Amino acid sequence: MPLDLGKEFNQKGGMSSETGSEEAIGSSRVIKSVFFALLLDLLGFTLILPLLPSILDHYGQTEDSVYQSLQSIVDWFREAVGVPMETKYNSVLFGGLIGSLFSLLQFMSSPLTGAASDHYGRKPLLILTTLGLMSSYAVWAVSCSFSMFLLSRVIGGICKGNVSLCTAMIADLPCPKARNKGMMMVGIAFSLGFTVGPLMGAYFAINSSKEEVFYHGPAVLALVFSAADLLFIIVMLPETLPKQNKTQVSSVTSGIQESGDLLNPVALFHFSALTRTEDPPSKEKMQNLKVLGLVYFTYLFLFSGLEFTLSFLTHQRFQFTSMQQGKMFFFMGITMALIQGGYARRIKPGHHIRTVRLAILLLIPAFALIGLAWNLKMVYIGLILYSFAAAIVVPCLTTLVSDHGSANQKGTVMGILRSLGALARALGPIVASSVYWIAGAETCFIISSTSFIIPLVLLRRLGGLKQE
């Protein structure tokens, strides 16, 4: 039986109910539905992560012209920054190139997807993006060349709008406490997805039959997860944006201007698309939104860069195998899930800025410890601090951003935020790996860790937000 919360929404876009209890039940249903839909999506998405080096090695033995072209880019970068000529490093750099391409596509598509959901509704766009993801997994399952595999990643990058749409659905909830809980549940879905998904992908690849390519089983499983997600969205997921709150494009000219604001990087950092709406946020709200967007970008730029170079450091200094690195990331995922389930979801409204400051502050000693570590005990102490910040910062910043914009602007707001994060994840690994190989591991981690002072300083520019 599908969940229908339409009757609970009033004409102003908030939830109207006879009692606060009914409103809480309605919000709880949305949160649980979004959590399950996002978890299915992330399980399918993360199956490929442990297989990517083997997939690249597999296609490296072919004469595919597209693969050779990308390999030449990797070789140029490797020689420019002085990366040793090792198969493992080549796989990490090649995987980073594919990841940056995926993130750039998300950077371009997320704002458009979010804005479209403000016009057509969250649920129709979720169905559309999930159908796109299914097609990308289908192409991956039947791919017999690197060109087809790359095509599947391109389709996936364009259609991977489920995260921003799910956060928009949580942002639609009327109660700040419910939004806070919802964003933390989104974080838990990420931790579980990125912990369980890779393990399942590796398991199905290892146990594939000799008659089929090793990645065929995981690709089919990703397609199954996506199909299950589509069915769940159609049958169980409610529409959280009432019809009367959907935006209307007044003219072709304004539609073109809005599209430009959603594709222009400078306009995205300024959230300019919101100023063209009928009910733009106040000047103070816009200023806070710009600051939060810049904090979000700066944090993820630094964080994703160090996260990427972590594979280099553990292999170079401690001779970690792929299995040992897998266990390390599993430890981080479990730690993040425990922190999000036990602490993060209990953060009270008004305490987010203080909590974000604490988490970012802990990253300075965390990455300094990892960069200077001469034994694994130091590494894992640093990883515990790292996991705390990873579990806290993005959900809290997302919650703060979700308070901005009217009911028919939430999709645009969350889409732009997701876009800024994707740009940070595309650029951060490139810059960090360059510093790592040119200046050395210690210098890279010390410089980057102290650079977290920048988002801390930016947070001081916020005005008018409750900072209890």
Side-chain angles (χ1 to χ4, degrees), residues 126-152:
L126 265 172
I127 291 172
L128 184 62
T129 56
T130 304
L131 284 170
L133 287 174
M134 286 179 65
S135 67
S136 74
Y137 296 141
V139 172
W140 177 30
V142 300
S143 64
C144 54
S145 67
F146 179 76
S147 301
M148 286 188 68
F149 170 73
L150 187 62
L151 176 62
S152 74

Side-chain angles (χ1 to χ4, degrees), residues 81-82 84 89 305-306 308-318 366-374 379 431-450:
V81 300
Y89 293 148
L306 291 177
F308 183 76
T309 55
L310 191 58
S311 296
F312 292 136
L313 183 141
T314 53
H315 178 70
Q316 186 182 42
R317 188 174 296 172
F318 301 105
F367 282 117
L369 272 172
I370 294 171
L372 298 174
W374 59 81
V379 172
V431 175
S433 56
S434 299
V435 176
Y436 183 97
W437 291 109
I438 292 173
E442 293 85 355
T443 302
C444 173
F445 275 76
I446 292 298
I447 290 176
S448 298
S449 63
T450 54

Side-chain angles (χ1 to χ4, degrees), residues 4 40 59 107 117 138 147 161-162 169 184 197 212 253 267 280 289 318 331 343 347 379 406 459:
D4 184 6
L40 285 173
Y59 286 121
F107 165 69
S117 76
S147 301
N162 297 41
M169 296 185 79
M184 295 307 160
E212 64 181 16
T253 302
L289 200 52
F318 301 105
F331 167 81
Y343 170 72
I347 298 172
V379 172
S406 59
L459 282 171

